[in-house]
Amino acid sequence: MQKENFTKQAVAQKRQLPKIVEETAPVPPNELGKLPPQALELEEAVLGAIMIENDAFSIVSEILRKEHFYKIAHQKIYAAIVSLYMGQNPIDMHTVTEQLRKTGDIDDVGGAYYIAMLTAKVASAAHLDYHSHIIVQKYLARELIRISSDVQSKAFEDTTDVDDLMQEAEARLFEISQQNLKKDVIQIEPVIAEVLKRIEAAAKRQEGISGVATGFHSLDNITSGWQKSDFIIIAGRPSMGKTAFVLSMAKNMAVDYNISVAIFSLEMSNVQLANRLIMNVCSIDGDKIKNGKLSKEEWELLDKNIVPLLNAPIYIDDTPSLSVFELRSKARRLVKEHHIECLFIDYLQLMNASGMNFYSREQEISLISRSLKGLAKELDIPIIALSQLNRSVEGRSGGYEGKRPQLSDLRESGAIEQDADMVCFIHRPEYYGFTIDKEGNDLHGIAEIIIAKHRNGTTGNLSMRFESKYAKFWNLDDFTSKHYQSFESSINTNADFYPEDNTNLTVTEPLQYLPSALQINEDKCPF
């Protein structure tokens, strides 16, 4: 009897054991699984509202796309609605059902009964735009989960290159962010107010510059400075001085006007760029800077002129093969932290859009140029990108005019020409052996800036002085005032330029260039 009681107690304890374990260690809810972010009730409400309200689709068409819907049946219904709208047909329960029958999707979505049920669930189209935005947010959350899961999976693989994976992840995230960049329509009054504000600010400046001044007067007269949100292309064949032109501008902006600028150099290292800037600012031959064989006067010149450059707000990034997505991240940070007002890229064809697949290089360049234009608008600063020209200009006949670059000479020209607000060419006739123009003017050391496209202004040509040994561009008038040496003379202003009586002429330094107004008859020259 005692043994039997003991056995019953043991069995009872065994029966209680699972119950005790179940109470003390329940299964955590998150271990039961997770559902992707979704809003099925809102998807039904939106689709039902579109079919009962005439103007409902016009509200959601700018917000929603087919893939934003989580349920496949809802994607097919929305696709049928889009087809009806594109065909200018009415959108209601019957027309949508008929359209789904034509495409063979009626059974996949649950038949005519399900379409009718969607309309029965909705009383009106109130809050339709708000509901649509929630559906988009759920879609973006699902995309982020998908991308992060894919990146995580690849990160565990030993064969994966981490740098390539980071570029790919950034590219895919950039693509999602671009999809979500939408701006609402606004009434014109605040826009006009902003325009008037800028006009008033420009009027207060004596030089009449409304944008970022380049320091080149003839260029600023045409452009009024580089304008905010503009994407500018500066193109030319190799050895035309594209980098020198950009560095001269950057020096003018940063040193003379205290404007913060950033230079992304994909071709040259930061040390090479610094050498070029020193050549430019100090007017010292580049070869002497490389080998250090400077004269005493040049050392003094270096010590005197390099100080403003040391404190100049110039920021350099020499990352090779920079991707447009990486540039976007860096540019945002530069604007936020250093208040960059102008951004230079040297040069566009060396950039890439890694992490994305393209059928051709032209497609990749198209994405890059389109992204740079979008970035200029987003940051509200001018972005200036250098670009190469193809070889067609070299083989073109036609003499002096034949060697002048054209828009069709841009490498991968279609997208660049379309996206750019302004396209400028640098042309040095001397490079092709032309030393005198049609009017007989000397072209030695002359660079022509050709504004071939100007979306918000006039086109035209202007000339500058280019000094190759200093990698420097000058205004022609600056060059005259600084480099055409002064005269000390007692010549009567109404007399001929020939020394008679006690007329004296002193030349302080040998002349290398003479303005056309000072051309001297060598037969009568007294010196």
Side-chain angles (χ1 to χ4, degrees), residues 282-323:
C282 301
S283 295
I284 299 175
D285 193 305
D287 291 333
K288 292 187 177 182
I289 289 178
K290 291 178 188 175
N291 56 38
K293 295 180 179 179
L294 277 66
S295 65
K296 180 181 178 181
E297 292 77 12
E298 288 170 334
W299 278 113
E300 293 175 353
L301 196 63
L302 179 64
D303 292 338
K304 176 183 177 182
N305 293 331
I306 202 172
V307 175
L309 192 59
L310 293 174
N311 301 318
I314 300 175
Y315 302 89
I316 299 174
D317 186 302
D318 63 350
T319 304
S321 189
L322 184 70
S323 75

Side-chain angles (χ1 to χ4, degrees), residues 130-144:
Y130 181 72
H131 293 163
S132 299
H133 279 105
I134 293 176
I135 294 173
V136 174
Q137 293 298 317
K138 297 296 183 182
Y139 163 77
L140 292 175
R142 293 196 300 271
E143 285 295 289
L144 288 173

Side-chain angles (χ1 to χ4, degrees), residues 171-212:
R172 294 170 72 176
L173 288 173
F174 172 76
E175 191 176 4
I176 292 178
S177 65
Q178 288 294 102
Q179 294 177 8
N180 201 37
L181 274 179
K182 296 185 183 296
K183 296 185 71 175
D184 294 330
V185 176
I186 62 172
Q187 198 266 340
I188 197 171
E189 182 181 357
V191 182
I192 295 294
E194 177 63 23
V195 172
L196 291 175
K197 182 180 177 182
R198 295 189 181 188
I199 293 174
E200 290 173 0
K204 292 177 181 178
R205 302 188 187 99
Q206 293 183 353
E207 65 274 15
I209 303 298
S210 60
V212 179

Side-chain angles (χ1 to χ4, degrees), residues 292-442:
K293 295 180 179 179
L294 277 66
S295 65
K296 180 181 178 181
E297 292 77 12
E298 288 170 334
W299 278 113
E300 293 175 353
L301 196 63
L302 179 64
D303 292 338
K304 176 183 177 182
N305 293 331
I306 202 172
V307 175
L309 192 59
L310 293 174
N311 301 318
I314 300 175
Y315 302 89
I316 299 174
D317 186 302
D318 63 350
T319 304
S321 189
L322 184 70
S323 75
V324 67
F325 314 110
E326 189 176 359
L327 170 70
R328 190 167 182 261
S329 300
K330 291 183 176 183
R332 277 177 166 177
R333 190 164 59 249
L334 283 166
V335 170
K336 182 179 180 180
E337 296 177 1
H338 301 290
H339 309 290
I340 295 299
E341 296 183 51
C342 190
L343 190 149
F344 298 94
I345 301 169
D346 184 13
Y347 59 91
L348 188 145
Q349 276 83 8
L350 290 179
M351 295 186 69
N352 65 71
S354 60
M356 302 184 71
N357 297 321
F358 301 93
Y359 292 108
S360 65
R361 177 60 176 166
E362 286 75 11
Q363 286 185 336
E364 187 172 16
I365 291 294
S366 176
L367 173 67
I368 292 170
S369 65
R370 189 167 62 250
S371 299
L372 291 178
K373 173 56 185 174
L375 182 62
K377 289 183 64 178
E378 177 188 343
L379 301 179
D380 198 28
I381 62 171
I383 292 181
I384 301 165
L386 301 188
S387 178
Q388 293 281 18
L389 296 180
N390 57 43
R391 294 187 179 90
S392 60
V393 65
E394 304 290 346
R396 199 158 52 224
S397 59
Y400 177 82
E401 291 296 327
K403 296 301 182 183
R404 290 164 60 86
Q406 306 169 4
L407 286 172
S408 59
D409 296 327
L410 279 168
R411 190 179 295 176
E412 293 93 20
S413 62
I416 298 174
E417 180 183 345
Q418 177 182 338
D419 296 325
D421 295 285
M422 186 182 298
V423 178
C424 303
F425 296 117
I426 300 178
H427 177 55
R428 292 197 295 117
E430 182 184 5
Y431 180 84
Y432 296 104
F434 301 104
T435 57
I436 299 177
D437 65 9
K438 295 179 180 179
E439 288 74 27
N441 298 316
D442 187 8

Side-chain angles (χ1 to χ4, degrees), residues 485-496:
Q485 308 303 330
S486 61
F487 292 87
E488 294 178 4
S489 173
S490 58
I491 299 177
N492 189 311
T493 55
N494 295 321
D496 294 331

